[in-house]
């Protein structure tokens, strides 16, 4: 039995994903995060993870990249709670998450959207099991044209199970 939680600070660089994948599966219930400054590629290609049993605690006030954070987590079924998030990009964040079916209803409230860029391309690319997305989530982004929107170039490509996408601020 572990007496204290493992602290993950994302300071390791290099190809950590096979080790990280095994670590999250084996010790995830004992892990925590603190002051995460960059979520880019954090869980990319962790294809054995069905759930991440700890919250991602971002550094308060930091503008953080979420590019490819969960990319190719093919068995990921649920998204972990994310705290203090001020994303500057969400590009490919869930791309290739084939088993992801839904998002938490309060997902929209996890983020401070004032920092998010328009470059959120391929965000849900090939999320083949995704059935719905919280509508409030899609109402954020640039307001320069009188309404809010996020740029989703190929954002929903391959989302063959998506059957709930209504009340959008723009027409597709």
């Amino acid at each position: 039995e572990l007496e204290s939680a493992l602290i993950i600070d994302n300071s390791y660089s290099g190809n950590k994903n096979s080790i990280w994948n095994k670590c999250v599966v084996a010790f995830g219930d004992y892990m925590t995060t603190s002051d995460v400054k960059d979520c880019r590629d954090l869980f990319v290609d962790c294809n054995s993870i069905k759930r991440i049993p700890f919250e991602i605690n971002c550094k308060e006030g930091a503008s953080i990249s979420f590019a490819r954070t969960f990319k190719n987590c093919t068995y990921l079924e649920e998204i972990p709670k994310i705290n203090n998030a001020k994303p500057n990009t969400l590009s490919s964040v869930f791309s290739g998450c084939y088993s992801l079916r839904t998002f938490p209803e309060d997902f929209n409230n996890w983020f401070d959207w004032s920092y998010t860029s328009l470059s959120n391309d391929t965000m849900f690319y090939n999320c083949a099991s995704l059935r719905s997305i919280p509508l409030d989530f899609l109402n954020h982004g640039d307001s320069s044209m009188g309404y809010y929107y996020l740029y989703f170039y190929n954002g929903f490509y391959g989302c063959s199970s998506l059957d709930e996408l209504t009340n959008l601020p723009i027409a597709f």
Side-chain angles (χ1 to χ4, degrees):
E1 183 175 323
L2 296 177
E3 294 192 17
S4 62
L6 299 170
I7 306 297
I8 305 302
D9 67 3
N10 199 25
S11 62
Y12 177 80
S13 61
N15 188 351
K16 64 182 182 279
N17 295 322
S18 65
I19 295 168
W20 185 225
N21 195 27
K22 292 173 186 173
C23 190
V24 171
V25 170
F27 302 109
D29 290 328
Y30 303 100
M31 295 176 139
T32 186
T33 61
S34 176
D35 291 332
V36 176
K37 298 176 194 96
D38 190 2
C39 288
R40 178 184 34 216
D41 300 327
L42 188 60
F43 298 99
V44 72
D45 296 327
C46 288
N47 52 19
S48 296
I49 298 173
K50 288 187 176 188
R51 70 179 191 87
I52 298 163
F54 53 87
E55 296 181 358
I56 298 173
N57 297 297
C58 300
K59 180 168 179 65
E60 192 145 352
S63 176
I64 296 171
S65 172
F66 280 84
R68 301 172 306 278
T69 300
F70 303 102
K71 185 177 181 182
N72 295 329
C73 290
T74 55
Y75 293 104
L76 186 67
E77 295 174 351
E78 62 185 72
I79 300 167
K81 177 79 164 108
I82 302 169
N83 300 305
N84 301 320
K86 292 185 178 185
N88 57 36
T89 183
L90 296 165
S91 183
S92 298
V93 66
F94 302 109
S95 179
C97 292
Y98 302 118
S99 300
L100 188 61
R101 295 178 50 88
T102 60
F103 281 75
E105 283 300 317
D106 66 340
F107 183 76
N108 183 48
N109 299 324
W110 296 359
F111 297 98
D112 175 347
W113 294 100
S114 60
Y115 292 86
T116 307
S117 74
L118 294 178
S119 179
N120 298 304
D121 60 320
T122 66
M123 190 170 178
F124 302 102
Y125 191 88
N126 280 334
C127 291
S129 299
L130 188 62
R131 297 195 47 102
S132 67
I133 297 169
L135 302 179
D136 287 345
F137 173 69
L138 297 173
N139 291 325
H140 291 281
D142 185 17
S143 63
S144 63
M145 299 180 75
Y147 51 84
Y148 285 93
Y149 69 94
L150 289 174
Y151 177 63
F152 287 106
Y153 176 75
N154 280 332
F156 301 99
Y157 180 87
C159 294
S160 55
S161 298
L162 193 60
D163 58 13
E164 187 177 315
L165 199 62
T166 59
N167 297 329
L168 295 177
I170 60 173
F172 279 88

